[in-house]
Amino acid sequence: MNMPPASRPLILVGAVQGIVLWWLWQAVEYQRWPHDVPILMGALLWAALAVPAAIYLSESAGFSVRRRWRLVAGTGFAYLLLGAYAGWVGDAMEAVESGRRFSAAYGSFAQILASLVLGFMLIPLAAGRHGGRWQYHRLFELAWRNALLGISVVLITVLFWAVLYAGALLMKSLGLGFIKELIEKPVFVFPVTGMVVGAVFAQGHARAEALVTLRHYVLALQAWLLPLLLLFGVMWLLALPFTGLEPLFGTRSAAFTLLWFTALAVHLLNCAWQDGRQASLYPRWLAAFVRFAWLTLPVVTLVAGWALWLRIRQYGWTEERIWALFVWLIAAGHALGYALSLLPALQRRLLPRSHAGAWMASVPGSNIGMAVLMLFALALLAGPVGDPRRLAVSDQIARLEASKVEPAEFDYRYLRWGADRWGTMALQELAAAKGDARTADIAGRARQALAEKQRWGGGDDKKAEVVLSHAEARQRLQQLKAEGSRDAIPDSLVDFLRQSGKPQYQDCLHQQNSCAVWMQDFNADGRQEALVLVSHSAGRVKDKPAAWLYAEQEKGWEIVAEFSRRFTQEEWSAAIRDGQITLAPPEWKDILLSGNRLHARTWSQ
């Protein structure tokens, strides 16, 4: 590989990065320092990823040496802080308090994605400003160069490892398996991968003209899809007065659909406009159609915002809705900004002379304005100030305390497993709250959530922690009675449901379930059995309950039968209360075959 001397240091950068990442991996794998300090671990990991990326992406970007290294150092420091926050928020508090440390996630998927976009945007924005003015063509060229470089690095690195594995497997077929064993060792994987990444970046910078040619080809092909997309937008707008918004909102994904359409339109328009220095790709009549058809996009984003607001007003803020609001703000800014191209008077006031009056002349100004807004917004969202987890937890807790959500319908599992440290702190506050019966109910459910040790279950049933007291468990059980009935739920059943660690028994006392019990002698043996109705309450619509029949056996209470989920808990309650429920013998008798009971299953005609 003929490597230009000026770019060869990038391979060294990749090698150093690989060694650092290998050292951090060793710390996690063998639980060595700094594995037990999540804040430091997160800071080092994020800085180890960000600093080389800043070096790669700022290469040949027109920076002076001093300005470039200030940018790299500033990027490293910023990601050091973001990584420290990721380590702090991802570290489970109860694990720290018990002295049992473990490797945190060091950032949610959304936080990592936001940080990647943030870092990608920072370099072009810094390089595109000279002499107090933005040079849009420099910003555009650098952004697309880095995007294509990043894609090529991923593809070539994957191909490199495919070749390496193919060769190792070929040698193993002859009994020479030491090569495969070598390339699978982390001490080989991390440094070599880093060196390959550095080498591919170096080759890409040395052949920048090839990337420019590839960019023109790819963007020109995509640009011809824009008129087709906008034609659908015009058709949608013309049909809207006749169909109304009910069919759209009935999909329950209106905001997602409309924002996805807007994002695609923005991308395709930028493919057509590019840096604005070349002639329009379209004939004059088609360019005019695109210009006027773009007016459908502000309407699309307006409806998307309305759909998003309706969902927020009904169910409150969640992480997904906070990110959706961010996407909506950026989409609306682009849609409205590009629409300014139809206002020549405003163009003369706001746009440079070189762009005023041109086709879709407001594109560069809108892009720069939205890029700066995205930069600041993503910095807030990736850090503690605007962390969607913190904001979502705060809003959902406020809705619970304001009685907008019933205790059984609140999503405690999100706080326990989906909101990291912010959720754990909120659960601890709920669990420690004192007050009326509703507050005590919430506290008990919060304690149950905190007691969960595995997100998806599968723990040791015999070691299940008993969280609810007898009084709390009895308070949680709703008893269904016919008018005049005095039968009470026996203490033995309450204690069984409270203490059993088996999920099929404890489901009715799960923090997000509702449980109703009907005491009745089901088999005329003179002893009361219990019909237990279990409904999962978290969510927009309550499930039809599972109906389990419990009987007290020699070893305690056991499930002896199950009934179909055909009726809601309200229907069960009303039928029992009004005496509209009776116990009937089976239409067909069972068969005892050598002491084994066979039940008849009837077929409906």
Side-chain angles (χ1 to χ4, degrees), residues 408-442:
E409 298 176 2
F410 186 74
D411 194 353
Y412 302 90
R413 287 185 60 81
Y414 167 71
L415 299 186
R416 181 67 181 89
W417 301 107
D420 295 317
R421 184 179 285 256
W422 296 115
T424 302
M425 291 192 299
L427 278 176
Q428 289 178 341
E429 292 180 5
L430 291 176
K434 306 292 183 181
D436 56 13
R438 187 176 188 276
T439 303
D441 186 16
I442 294 173

Side-chain angles (χ1 to χ4, degrees), residues 374-420:
M374 285 180 65
L375 197 68
F376 285 102
L378 287 172
L380 292 176
L381 291 169
V385 176
D387 190 336
R389 290 166 292 188
R390 183 181 70 85
L391 299 178
V393 167
S394 177
D395 182 72
Q396 292 299 321
I397 293 295
R399 286 171 54 83
L400 177 64
E401 293 176 344
S403 299
K404 294 181 179 179
V405 182
E406 291 301 318
E409 298 176 2
F410 186 74
D411 194 353
Y412 302 90
R413 287 185 60 81
Y414 167 71
L415 299 186
R416 181 67 181 89
W417 301 107
D420 295 317

Side-chain angles (χ1 to χ4, degrees), residues 237-577:
L237 185 60
L238 293 176
L240 190 60
F242 300 98
T243 64
L245 294 174
E246 289 77 10
L248 177 65
F249 290 169
T251 63
R252 306 184 70 87
S253 59
F256 172 81
T257 301
L258 298 177
L259 291 176
W260 175 75
F261 182 90
T262 304
L264 187 58
V266 169
H267 169 72
L268 293 178
L269 181 55
N270 278 276
C271 290
W273 209 87
Q274 299 193 28
D275 61 1
R277 294 190 296 177
Q278 69 285 333
S280 174
L281 295 173
Y282 306 127
R284 182 173 300 179
W285 65 271
L286 190 56
F289 168 78
V290 169
R291 190 177 182 185
F292 284 94
W294 188 264
L295 291 178
T296 61
L297 269 300
V299 180
V300 169
T301 55
L302 179 64
V303 175
W306 175 245
L308 180 61
W309 168 244
L310 290 178
R311 190 54 55 90
I312 293 170
R313 187 176 64 178
Q314 186 174 5
Y315 300 111
W317 290 100
T318 62
E319 286 186 57
E320 292 77 11
R321 291 177 196 130
I322 292 171
W323 283 111
L325 176 63
F326 164 75
V327 173
W328 178 82
L329 287 172
I330 301 303
H334 280 98
L336 292 174
Y338 294 175
L340 295 179
S341 298
L342 289 171
L343 302 174
L346 191 59
Q347 288 184 42
R348 287 192 293 269
R349 289 177 176 270
L350 300 180
L351 302 176
R353 291 183 179 180
S354 59
H355 289 146
W359 178 75
M360 302 301 292
S362 60
V363 167
S366 300
N367 284 348
I368 293 173
M370 288 299 102
V372 173
L373 176 62
M374 285 180 65
L375 197 68
F376 285 102
L378 287 172
L380 292 176
L381 291 169
V385 176
D387 190 336
R389 290 166 292 188
R390 183 181 70 85
L391 299 178
V393 167
S394 177
D395 182 72
Q396 292 299 321
I397 293 295
R399 286 171 54 83
L400 177 64
E401 293 176 344
S403 299
K404 294 181 179 179
V405 182
E406 291 301 318
E409 298 176 2
F410 186 74
D411 194 353
Y412 302 90
R413 287 185 60 81
Y414 167 71
L415 299 186
R416 181 67 181 89
W417 301 107
D420 295 317
R421 184 179 285 256
W422 296 115
T424 302
M425 291 192 299
L427 278 176
Q428 289 178 341
E429 292 180 5
L430 291 176
K434 306 292 183 181
D436 56 13
R438 187 176 188 276
T439 303
D441 186 16
I442 294 173
R445 296 176 191 271
R447 292 201 310 273
Q448 286 183 283
L450 286 171
E452 293 181 353
K453 302 305 179 186
Q454 297 186 28
R455 182 168 190 170
W456 307 116
D460 189 347
D461 293 341
K462 296 181 180 179
K463 297 181 180 179
E465 183 178 351
V466 177
V467 176
L468 298 177
S469 66
H470 180 91
E472 288 175 324
R474 181 174 287 278
Q475 184 69 26
R476 187 82 63 82
L477 299 174
Q478 175 192 359
Q479 184 168 4
L480 306 180
K481 292 183 178 182
E483 291 186 3
S485 174
R486 296 183 179 180
D487 295 329
I489 302 175
D491 290 341
S492 60
L493 178 61
V494 176
D495 286 335
F496 176 77
L497 294 174
R498 180 175 69 90
Q499 296 178 8
S500 174
K502 297 181 180 180
Q504 65 266 34
Y505 294 129
Q506 207 174 26
D507 267 349
C508 76
L509 293 179
H510 189 275
Q511 63 267 22
Q512 291 179 199
N513 285 351
S514 296
C515 193
V517 179
W518 179 38
M519 301 303 302
Q520 182 71 23
D521 185 0
F522 280 78
N523 57 0
D525 63 351
R527 302 172 62 182
Q528 294 284 304
E529 285 78 40
L531 181 68
V532 178
L533 305 175
V534 183
S535 299
H536 184 65
S537 299
R540 302 188 185 104
V541 180
K542 290 186 179 180
D543 295 336
K544 291 182 178 179
W548 304 95
L549 182 61
Y550 288 74
E552 193 169 14
Q553 310 287 356
E554 293 181 1
K555 296 182 180 180
W557 290 87
E558 294 286 346
I559 294 178
V560 294
E562 178 184 1
F563 296 95
S564 173
R565 294 173 178 252
R566 294 184 58 187
F567 303 99
T568 65
Q569 189 154 315
E570 290 74 15
E571 291 172 325
W572 277 98
S573 179
I576 294 171
R577 182 187 64 246

